[in-house]
Amino acid sequence: MEYNNNKQDLVWFAMSAPYCRELEAKRLLDNRSIENFIPMCYKVSVKQNKKTRVLVPAIHNLIFVRTTRPIIKETKQQISILQYITRTDNGKNIPVIVPDMQMQQFITVSKTNSEQLIYLRPEEINLKKGTRVRILGGTFDGVEGIFVKIKGIRSRRVVVVIPGITAVVTAEIQPDLIEVISQS
């Protein structure tokens, strides 16, 4: 089957691969050359009294897939472990689609695999209190998010949010690298 693989038709689907099979789903998508992203982080693993740092999914079961609607529909039939993450709209469950700019900023922060990154569930942070900011320079140059104080952490951080799915908290950002974005 041939698809119109126009760049404008590509969207990021927030998807689930239940029972911690996100890496298996990634492998299957990679074999089909379908762009995907799993936020990863380092964890300390202890086996036979030896500690090692292991790169693991930061949020189990979560995978973002960038493709077209017809391709994701066909792919879901072939890769049964992939499921849409949905939101309710007028009584219907519709797949969550993450805007390209928001996803690129989330990937920029997440790809650092920094041990200082903190991943939060949507209910763990009240973003209404924060100020919209842009980071100028450094690893996170150009990333936009919310400047907030996270409970249990002394310094203020910038949070990049994918509404209803997850949020990632950056490492500590120096105040001189932060520009306030006007609300107008």
Side-chain angles (χ1 to χ4, degrees):
M1 197 175 272
E2 214 173 289
Y3 295 111
N4 176 10
N5 243 353
N6 193 346
K7 281 277 191 198
Q8 286 90 0
D9 296 337
L10 295 174
V11 293
W12 283 102
F13 292 92
M15 305 201 72
S16 170
Y19 307 111
C20 299
R21 294 186 293 182
E22 60 277 355
L23 293 176
E24 179 185 346
K26 178 174 183 41
R27 183 181 50 78
L28 294 168
L29 289 164
D30 287 346
N31 289 343
R32 288 174 170 74
S33 299
I34 296 175
E35 185 178 359
N36 61 83
F37 178 73
I38 297 175
M40 304 288 281
C41 67
Y42 283 100
K43 298 274 179 169
V44 175
S45 173
V46 180
K47 287 186 182 175
Q48 299 173 350
N49 294 331
K50 290 186 179 182
K51 290 183 180 180
T52 55
R53 282 182 30 173
V54 182
L55 191 61
V56 297
I59 305 164
H60 286 295
N61 307 327
L62 180 64
I63 183 167
F64 296 96
V65 181
R66 186 171 188 241
T67 189
T68 63
R69 289 179 189 275
I71 291 174
I72 196 66
K73 199 171 186 178
E74 180 183 301
T75 302
K76 274 184 49 42
Q77 291 174 342
Q78 297 167 355
I79 304 175
S80 60
I81 60 174
L82 271 181
Q83 298 176 8
Y84 291 117
I85 293 176
T86 60
R87 63 179 174 82
T88 306
D89 186 25
N90 291 329
K92 290 183 177 180
N93 287 333
I94 60 170
V96 171
I97 294 175
V98 182
D100 226 26
M101 178 69 160
Q102 196 173 38
M103 193 65 206
Q104 291 310 319
Q105 292 186 357
F106 182 78
I107 290 171
T108 298
V109 172
S110 297
K111 273 200 168 178
T112 64
N113 298 328
S114 168
E115 291 178 11
Q116 294 182 351
L117 291 180
I118 300 168
Y119 290 87
L120 302 170
R121 292 184 303 276
E123 63 273 10
E124 291 180 298
I125 189 166
N126 180 359
L127 295 176
K128 289 178 178 67
K129 292 180 182 174
T131 304
R132 290 209 41 82
V133 297
R134 180 179 302 113
I135 300 171
L136 305 171
T139 307
F140 303 123
D141 186 37
V143 170
E144 294 179 8
I146 311 289
F147 196 53
V148 296
K149 171 81 172 88
I150 305 293
K151 187 177 180 180
I153 299 173
R154 281 188 173 182
S155 60
R156 292 186 185 261
R157 311 277 182 102
V158 174
V159 177
V160 177
V161 181
I162 296 180
I165 305 294
T166 190
V168 62
V169 182
T170 65
E172 184 176 353
I173 303 292
Q174 297 301 320
D176 58 331
L177 294 178
I178 296 173
E179 168 189 52
V180 174
I181 300 172
S182 64
Q183 301 296 332
S184 56

